[in-house]
Amino acid sequence: MSWNDKYEAVIGLEVHAQLATNSKLFCGDSTAFGAAPNTHISPITMGHPGTLPKTNKKAVEYAIKLGLACGCEIEKDNYFARKNYFYPDLPKGYQISQHTTPICKGGHVTIQTPEGERQVQLNRIHMEEDAGKSIHDLDEHFTCIDLNRAGTPLVEIVTEPDIFSAEEAWSYVTEIRRLVRWIGICDGNMEEGSLRCDANVSIRLKGETKLGTKVEVKNLNSIRNVKKAIEYEISRMVELVENGGKVQQQTRSFDASTDTTFAIRDKEEANDYRYFPDPDLAPFHLTDTFIQSIASTLPALPADLKKKYQLDFGLSAYDAGQLCDEKETTDFFASVIEHTRQYKAVANWVLGPIRQYQNEHGIGFAELQLAPALLAELIQLVDDGKVSFSVASSKLLPAVISGEGSPLAIAEKMNLLQVSDTNELETWITEALESMPDKVTEYRKGKKGLIGLFVGDVKKRSKGKADPKLVTQLLEQKLNQ
Ligand code: ADP
Ligand code: MG
């Protein structure tokens, strides 16, 4: 019997996403990644006496944008509070956060599971500032502090305990990363810490409705680590409980070198942060008009587009999903279908030869010099039987991308147009059939599979320029006379 016949895992995730603003949440310091340590730290970031913070409007807009994309209710009356505690990377001695009054409430994120799509319920999305960074491995004796990150705007996306496996958690974080990138509020770079995840994990007996005691694994910085940490926690807890032990409420950390977690502290009764509204920051009220103006900037969302592509364009779920994986791909697809109604062919080209070209050259859509109209023209040439797909993708596509002209002009210049002149084809066909009379006899006796051999031979004689569809047709006519 495996553990999941008896137990069920329950997971709630808290994802911190760094908002892609140029400046910090309460002052004009740059948020650029990778600057020399402690160079983006004005007296406001440092919390010097007499300084006054001011809320970054863009950050508020981005938080609302995410809330709208997740179907949250947007809170109109907002304020920031101080969460007081001491830590060396927290220069002010408090973190400014929206503890009990999140800007976005409820909502959901749609994830993919082996059983199909499912909505993970959100509890809230709130805004807060980031702390600085303690670096323990730079100096032998000292911990180094870089405060550049202090004051960077974050949203914290908190789910209900509504995730039930490590795979679902993987799928959820993948979806969050796609979504924040899609709507342009966060670059989603987990390696640079733009997305970080805390995983709350508990187990309970199957059928039990009460939640078990949870542990919180802090600061997971890759999707892989989220999955590994949860897998480890579940197996640790099951083993503990099976051996008669009890799960302790704890905060834990993940060790990526061993894929295990270790306790960093037992959860204290966490009521000593002395939250109070920040007296230096005015509360802010959001009008319907303001929220509406942000809603109007929201692009069509991947889940909706995926459905539309299947319904309106007859694409497979797989192709639609691939096209909606990244916004750049979707945008390119959308720009091509403005010029042609061959939706399926466009999808095939974007996910096939174009993706291959991009991989070979290590470029994205931003660097791809391919006018959508020219791709549409190329697709039309293939559909008209003027060039074969293989010639179009291997020869014409690179030439069009290098700016050598329109697909038709290039095909003419490079002598790649397929011959669909019946007279010319007849000559090659006659030559081909005369060169293998035995095979012709076999064919006529019923070995119809030989047609491929004849077509191939004609193609060779034409140096690849014979339109294979037409050749097949003519061959069949001739052989069945
Ligand atoms: P805390 O005050 O410890 O941060 P919250 O109630 O705010 O706890 O919840 C934090 C996260 O933990 C949320 O994502 C929530 O869904 C999740 N969570 C709460 N209780 C449990 C539990 N027993 N098992 C798994 N996840 C839980
Ligand atoms: Mg927490």
Side-chain angles (χ1 to χ4, degrees):
M1 193 171 93
S2 86
W3 69 270
N4 54 6
D5 293 326
K6 185 169 173 191
Y7 296 97
E8 170 183 59
V10 181
I11 299 148
L13 295 180
E14 299 167 274
V15 173
H16 288 91
Q18 187 175 320
L19 297 174
T21 55
N22 295 326
S23 56
K24 292 187 180 175
L25 186 48
F26 300 112
C27 69
D29 289 347
S30 166
T31 55
F33 179 81
N38 300 308
T39 52
H40 294 163
I41 48 167
S42 65
I44 301 182
T45 289
M46 301 304 290
H48 287 179
T51 54
L52 268 184
K54 201 165 159 242
T55 305
N56 181 335
K57 188 171 169 194
K58 197 91 207 162
V60 175
E61 283 177 24
Y62 281 178
I64 296 172
K65 208 167 174 180
L66 179 60
L68 292 171
C70 296
C72 302
E73 181 197 329
I74 308 298
E75 172 61 56
K76 297 215 179 108
D77 290 299
N78 294 277
Y79 68 89
F80 284 102
R82 290 184 183 180
K83 179 182 180 180
N84 296 282
Y85 64 97
F86 170 78
Y87 205 76
D89 62 17
L90 189 74
K92 297 198 293 287
Y94 56 85
Q95 178 196 25
I96 305 178
S97 173
Q98 290 188 312
H99 179 60
T100 51
T101 54
I103 190 161
C104 309
K105 294 182 205 157
H108 61 262
V109 172
T110 303
I111 63 164
Q112 311 294 329
T113 75
E115 293 80 42
E117 289 186 348
R118 187 171 80 75
Q119 290 189 345
V120 169
Q121 298 305 311
L122 297 184
N123 174 282
R124 65 179 187 275
I125 301 172
H126 67 255
M127 305 177 68
E128 61 188 31
E129 59 175 351
D130 207 347
K133 220 169 160 178
S134 306
I135 304 153
H136 304 292
D137 53 8
L138 205 60
D139 188 277
E140 202 183 329
H141 302 291
F142 298 100
T143 287
C144 300
I145 310 276
D146 177 7
L147 294 173
N148 282 350
R149 205 179 63 184
T152 296
L154 305 176
V155 280
E156 182 173 340
I157 308 156
V158 184
T159 74
E160 293 293 348
D162 191 28
I163 296 169
F164 302 100
S165 68
E167 290 74 22
E168 281 194 0
W170 168 291
S171 174
Y172 172 81
V173 182
T174 304
E175 214 53 57
I176 289 283
R177 186 175 57 177
R178 187 195 336 270
L179 185 63
V180 295
R181 284 178 169 166
W182 193 278
I183 64 175
I185 65 151
C186 168
D187 64 27
N189 286 341
M190 296 191 86
E191 325 74 62
E192 294 180 0
S194 300
L195 271 186
R196 307 191 291 272
C197 181
D198 302 338
N200 299 269
V201 187
S202 63
I203 58 164
R204 62 185 173 191
L205 286 172
K206 275 217 156 141
E208 174 64 75
T209 49
K210 266 190 15 221
L211 291 172
T213 304
K214 67 162 178 153
V215 302
E216 181 172 2
V217 188
K218 283 282 195 195
N219 263 321
L220 299 161
N221 59 4
S222 74
I223 299 183
R224 175 198 177 274
N225 289 356
V226 171
K227 181 161 177 275
K228 289 284 173 200
I230 293 171
E231 279 169 354
Y232 178 78
E233 267 316 298
I234 294 172
S235 63
R236 185 185 68 84
M237 288 178 182
V238 168
E239 198 179 310
L240 190 67
V241 173
E242 283 286 287
N243 289 322
K246 251 180 95 181
V247 174
Q248 300 294 319
Q249 186 168 341
Q250 273 173 343
T251 304
R252 299 177 71 91
S253 193
F254 180 68
D255 179 352
S257 62
T258 55
D259 287 347
T260 60
T261 68
F262 57 94
I264 44 180
R265 55 180 179 267
D266 284 340
K267 192 86 176 180
E268 64 279 18
E269 281 309 311
N271 233 339
D272 47 6
Y273 289 120
R274 309 284 159 183
Y275 284 100
F276 65 89
D278 192 306
D280 288 341
L281 282 162
F284 59 98
H285 176 80
L286 305 172
T287 61
D288 284 326
T289 327
F290 182 67
I291 296 173
Q292 206 44 53
S293 72
I294 295 167
S296 68
T297 66
L298 210 58
L301 297 173
D304 300 334
L305 278 177
K306 189 178 160 192
K307 279 201 196 90
K308 182 181 150 74
Y309 287 174
Q310 292 175 76
L311 284 177
D312 295 2
F313 302 157
L315 300 186
S316 69
Y318 180 80
D319 283 357
Q322 291 283 305
L323 289 174
C324 296
D325 194 33
E326 283 178 335
K327 183 136 188 311
E328 291 69 24
T329 314
T330 311
D331 287 347
F332 185 73
F333 176 74
S335 66
V336 181
I337 60 170
E338 279 176 22
H339 303 275
T340 171
R341 296 177 65 178
Q342 310 234 27
Y343 309 119
K344 180 80 185 123
V346 178
N348 288 343
W349 273 84
V350 171
L351 301 175
I354 291 178
R355 177 169 284 182
Q356 198 186 335
Y357 182 92
Q358 289 177 308
N359 290 342
E360 277 164 12
H361 294 79
I363 58 168
F365 283 100
E367 299 88 32
L368 181 73
Q369 301 283 328
L370 177 58
L374 291 184
L375 178 59
E377 203 183 312
L378 190 51
I379 289 170
Q380 196 57 48
L381 282 186
V382 176
D383 194 58
D384 290 344
K386 294 214 170 87
V387 288
S388 68
F389 174 79
S390 79
V391 163
S393 54
S394 64
K395 301 224 170 83
L396 288 182
L397 180 68
V400 172
I401 294 174
S402 329
E404 290 172 32
S406 81
L408 182 60
I410 298 171
E412 278 167 349
K413 197 171 67 192
M414 295 170 74
N415 200 16
L416 293 171
L417 285 177
Q418 292 191 139
V419 174
S420 41
D421 171 341
T422 334
N423 286 335
E424 214 169 327
L425 292 178
E426 291 282 359
T427 318
W428 289 320
I429 287 173
T430 309
E431 281 173 19
L433 295 181
E434 277 172 5
S435 75
M436 35 188 158
D438 302 356
K439 300 286 174 198
V440 174
T441 314
E442 280 180 49
Y443 178 93
R444 290 202 165 122
K445 280 189 184 149
K447 217 170 161 194
K448 301 291 177 202
L450 285 169
I451 190 80
L453 180 73
F454 303 138
V455 176
D457 196 67
V458 174
K459 264 177 89 177
K460 222 186 280 159
R461 288 171 194 277
S462 75
K463 302 206 169 56
K465 292 196 307 179
D467 175 354
K469 248 193 279 173
L470 199 53
V471 169
T472 312
Q473 230 173 12
L474 293 171
L475 271 167
E476 273 168 352
Q477 270 172 25
K478 208 168 183 102
L479 288 161
N480 296 331
Q481 267 166 8

